[in-house]
Amino acid sequence: MSPRTRADSAHISPSAHYTGYVWYRHQLAEPAFATGFGRLAYGLLKPLVWGVREVLGLDLEHVLLQRHLLIDARLRAAIEQGGVRQVVEIACGLSPRGRRFCQRYPQLQYLEADLPAMAARKRLLLHGEGWLDGRHRVRDVDILAARGALSLQALFADLDQHAPVLVITEGLVNYFPRELLEGFWTRLAAQLARFPQASYLTDLYPDLREHPRYRQLRWGVDLVGRLTRGDYWLHYRDQAEIVAAFEGCGFRRVAVLDPEHDGAGLGLPDQGAPSLLRVIEARVP
């Protein structure tokens, strides 16, 4: 597998540091999550982000907040209304979600996972602040591993398979071509089928060619690819294709959420145009 199709830690970590600093700026994360590299990257990219917003009307930081806050909202609902007591956040990067939700919900078991280099950094951060314990853990995983110590099967092995579980990936799936992505979803659905109730939350940027800002989206996609030294893939033309893809991988009851309609209570200003982002909530069985 070539380096451009296999997302390694050197590939994704720059964006993890940048988004970690965005969460901190918006009071979604404690100072420990704001790394020096993240602060530097944010400062260097600030003129570019401003230019994209002013010239093209595309607010990249707003999109990041949309996805993060909408996933948070769906996770809260799953815990408070759906009885979820264990959460697995794959490709956790420098996300502060595990810390915030463990503080808010003392009954919650939260397992974060990432490629070994990123997981080690996250583990060190949380341990240094005294936040790791029996409820909040970090494990190594490679979503492309079909078997072995880094596989999904190994990751889920020590969860309570008699209790509901919710899995999150944020800022991950568009780094993979469709074949690899759907292979991951198929393996994930197979693991989730072992639980009495299981759901999956992820963000997704579809190939919305009829979108009024499609040209800006394509430009932004090319920019992300250059900044992360890899490809950034757009999948699926519409909601029907998204639902069909998830169902083909073994998921059921697939909801495709648009932040402009399903995130009205997120506290973000109206951008005056349809969102480029979708958040998917899929269930097994």
Side-chain angles (χ1 to χ4, degrees):
M1 186 178 300
S2 73
R4 293 180 67 81
T5 57
R6 184 181 181 88
D8 56 34
S9 58
H11 210 114
I12 292 183
S13 289
S15 60
H17 287 279
Y18 178 85
T19 54
Y21 190 73
V22 170
W23 312 149
Y24 166 70
R25 282 195 71 251
H26 290 272
Q27 300 181 329
L28 294 170
E30 293 167 287
F33 292 93
T35 66
F37 183 84
R39 188 184 303 271
L40 174 63
Y42 186 87
L44 291 174
L45 291 175
K46 189 173 183 179
L48 179 60
V49 172
W50 178 87
V52 170
R53 182 176 65 248
E54 295 299 313
V55 176
L56 302 179
L58 180 62
D59 191 331
L60 300 177
E61 193 164 338
H62 178 86
V63 173
L64 292 177
L65 290 169
Q66 278 186 324
R67 83 183 193 195
H68 198 73
L69 294 175
L70 184 51
I71 290 174
D72 277 1
R74 298 312 304 156
L75 176 55
R76 284 195 300 272
I79 294 170
E80 296 175 4
Q81 302 167 25
V84 167
R85 295 294 180 268
Q86 49 186 351
V87 177
V88 181
E89 184 166 2
I90 298 173
C92 60
L94 292 172
S95 168
R97 184 178 287 115
R99 165 64 176 164
R100 287 190 287 107
F101 275 79
C102 281
Q103 282 186 297
R104 181 167 181 169
Y105 300 102
Q107 77 277 22
L108 195 64
Q109 298 282 331
Y110 207 102
L111 176 60
E112 300 196 51
D114 212 316
L115 289 162
M118 193 69 235
R121 187 181 187 106
K122 188 65 170 288
R123 196 179 296 112
L124 184 63
L125 184 159
L126 296 175
H127 178 74
E129 298 294 326
W131 296 335
L132 280 183
D133 54 30
R135 294 196 305 119
H136 190 182
R137 298 168 292 149
V138 181
R139 289 275 305 276
D140 297 353
V141 73
D142 181 345
I143 67 166
L144 302 183
R147 60 185 64 84
L150 297 182
S151 67
L152 294 177
Q153 182 178 8
L155 181 66
F156 284 87
D158 60 351
L159 295 181
D160 181 356
Q161 297 190 1
H162 300 289
V165 65
L166 184 145
V167 176
I168 297 169
T169 61
E170 180 179 5
L172 173 71
V173 300
N174 287 94
Y175 283 102
F176 297 94
R178 182 167 175 169
E179 181 181 0
L180 292 182
L181 174 60
E182 292 184 358
F184 160 58
W185 285 343
T186 300
R187 290 190 297 276
L188 177 60
Q191 293 302 315
L192 295 184
R194 302 179 181 185
F195 294 84
Q197 175 184 322
S199 52
Y200 172 49
L201 288 169
T202 190
D203 62 298
L204 180 69
Y205 297 88
D207 192 10
L208 301 174
R209 297 186 184 184
E210 290 77 27
H211 194 283
R213 292 180 178 172
Y214 182 74
R215 289 185 180 180
Q216 294 96 313
L217 174 61
R218 289 301 326 178
W219 187 90
V221 165
D222 292 340
L223 174 64
V224 169
R226 288 193 295 269
L227 291 176
T228 57
R229 303 187 301 280
D231 294 318
Y232 200 78
W233 306 78
L234 298 182
H235 306 294
Y236 316 115
R237 292 289 301 274
D238 54 29
Q239 178 169 325
E241 283 194 9
I242 295 172
V243 171
F246 274 86
E247 290 181 343
C249 293
F251 289 93
R252 300 292 179 267
R253 291 183 290 163
V254 181
V256 182
L257 307 177
D258 182 342
E260 297 298 333
H261 301 104
D262 301 293
L266 298 179
L268 292 170
D270 184 4
Q271 294 298 287
S275 177
L276 302 169
L277 166 72
R278 297 295 180 266
V279 168
I280 314 302
E281 188 170 26
R283 301 182 187 278
V284 178

